Amino acid sequence: IERRDQSDDPKIDQAIERIKTAIARSDRLISELLDFAKGHELAKDLIPVDLWLTRVLAEQAQNLPRAIKLEFNLDAGSAAIAFDAYKMQASINNLINNAAEALVGKGDDPSSYFRSDPKIRVSTRLAQRGLEISVYNNGPMIDEQDMKKILTPLVTTKSCGTGLGWSVVQDILVQHGGGLEIENGRQTGVTFTAWISSESLQMAEDCTERTGSIMCGLN
C-alpha cells in the first residue's frame, strides 16, 4: 500500500504508519511467545560482530518510527564470536523495539512522545568478561519497583504486553554464557547491556558478505 500510494494526503500517511506499527507489535508478541515456548538448542556460528550488527541495525531502522534517531558506535573491531545469529538478532530487535516504545509510544502522535528528540544508541565493546552490546535510549527511567521484577516471566507493566520479552532475551544470553543488565541514567534514559562470554572470541580477517551470509578468515 505504501509503495502504491501516490497521494499527499497526511491522513493516509498516518493510517499507513499505524498499520506498520501494529504489524510490528503483533510480530514481536508472536515471536516472544514462540521463543518462550520452543526448545533452547543453539545453532552457533563464528560471526564478526560489528559487521553482523551493522546489517541488523540497518534492517531494524526501517521498522522504527520516523521520529527516532538511531545511532551506533561499534567498537568491537574485527572480533568474531560464536553465537546463534537468529536468536541474538531477535534479542537486539527486542531491546530496540522496547526502547522505541518507551520513547514515542505508538509512534503516530508527537504530543505523546516522551521528548522531542527521541534517540536510541547501540554500541559494542570488548570487556574482560566478553562481548558487550549496549542499547541506550534517552527516554524515561524505569521505576525502582519495576526494576526489581522486570526480568520475571509474565510480569509486565504494559496493557498489551506478554511480560516475556526481556526474560526471553535474558534466557538467550544466559545460554551464551552471558546475561542482561539494566541501568537507569542519572537523570533520564535507560541502558540495556547484553553480554556474551568471550570463550569463543577470535579476531577475524577479510570479512565479506556472500549470498546473504558473512564469511571470514580467522587467525
Side-chain angles (χ1 to χ4, degrees):
I1 294 174
E2 187 175 32
R3 287 196 301 267
R4 290 172 179 265
D5 177 36
Q6 301 297 320
S7 71
D8 294 323
D9 188 340
K11 292 184 178 179
I12 293 179
D13 292 339
Q14 291 173 6
I16 290 175
E17 284 300 313
R18 284 196 296 271
I19 291 171
K20 291 168 64 177
T21 301
I23 290 173
R25 185 180 298 112
S26 298
D27 181 65
R28 186 167 73 254
L29 291 174
I30 292 169
S31 296
E32 289 175 4
L33 289 168
L34 289 174
D35 287 338
F36 188 74
K38 63 187 178 183
H40 299 300
E41 185 176 351
L42 299 178
K44 290 185 178 182
D45 292 301
L46 195 60
I47 298 172
V49 178
D50 283 356
L51 180 60
W52 169 82
L53 191 54
T54 298
R55 191 171 65 180
V56 169
L57 295 177
E59 179 181 325
Q60 183 65 4
Q62 304 302 314
N63 300 320
L64 290 175
R66 295 175 183 175
I68 293 179
K69 182 179 182 181
L70 179 61
E71 302 176 344
F72 52 92
N73 180 25
L74 307 183
D75 199 30
S78 61
I81 197 165
F83 59 87
D84 186 313
Y86 173 79
K87 287 182 177 291
M88 284 299 296
Q89 180 168 353
S91 298
I92 299 302
N93 288 349
N94 187 293
L95 295 177
I96 292 175
N97 286 331
N98 274 285
E101 196 165 311
L103 287 166
V104 301
K106 295 182 179 180
D108 54 8
D109 180 9
S111 66
S112 68
Y113 294 177
F114 176 75
R115 57 191 302 158
S116 60
D117 60 337
K119 177 175 64 178
I120 297 173
R121 182 173 63 246
V122 181
S123 59
T124 61
R125 78 182 190 102
L126 298 178
Q128 185 172 1
R129 62 182 177 180
L131 169 71
E132 295 182 355
I133 303 176
S134 296
V135 179
Y136 163 82
N137 74 80
N138 62 345
M141 294 190 292
I142 298 174
D143 183 87
E144 290 300 323
Q145 293 301 315
D146 291 335
M147 186 76 80
K148 296 176 181 179
K149 57 185 179 182
I150 200 169
L151 297 178
T152 303
L154 303 178
V155 174
T156 180
T157 58
K158 301 177 183 177
S159 59
C160 60
T162 61
L164 295 175
W166 286 325
S167 59
V168 168
V169 171
Q170 178 180 237
D171 185 52
I172 290 171
L173 294 168
V174 169
Q175 292 174 60
H176 284 86
L180 177 64
E181 297 172 350
I182 307 169
E183 183 179 8
N184 281 324
R186 292 185 177 180
Q187 296 181 326
T188 188
V190 183
T191 300
F192 289 80
T193 300
W195 68 278
I196 56 180
S197 171
S198 60
E199 290 180 356
S200 57
L201 180 67
Q202 297 189 43
M203 305 311 289
E205 297 176 344
D206 302 324
C207 294
T208 57
E209 292 189 55
R210 305 173 188 170
T211 62
S213 298
I214 300 175
M215 308 293 290
C216 285
L218 297 169
N219 59 20

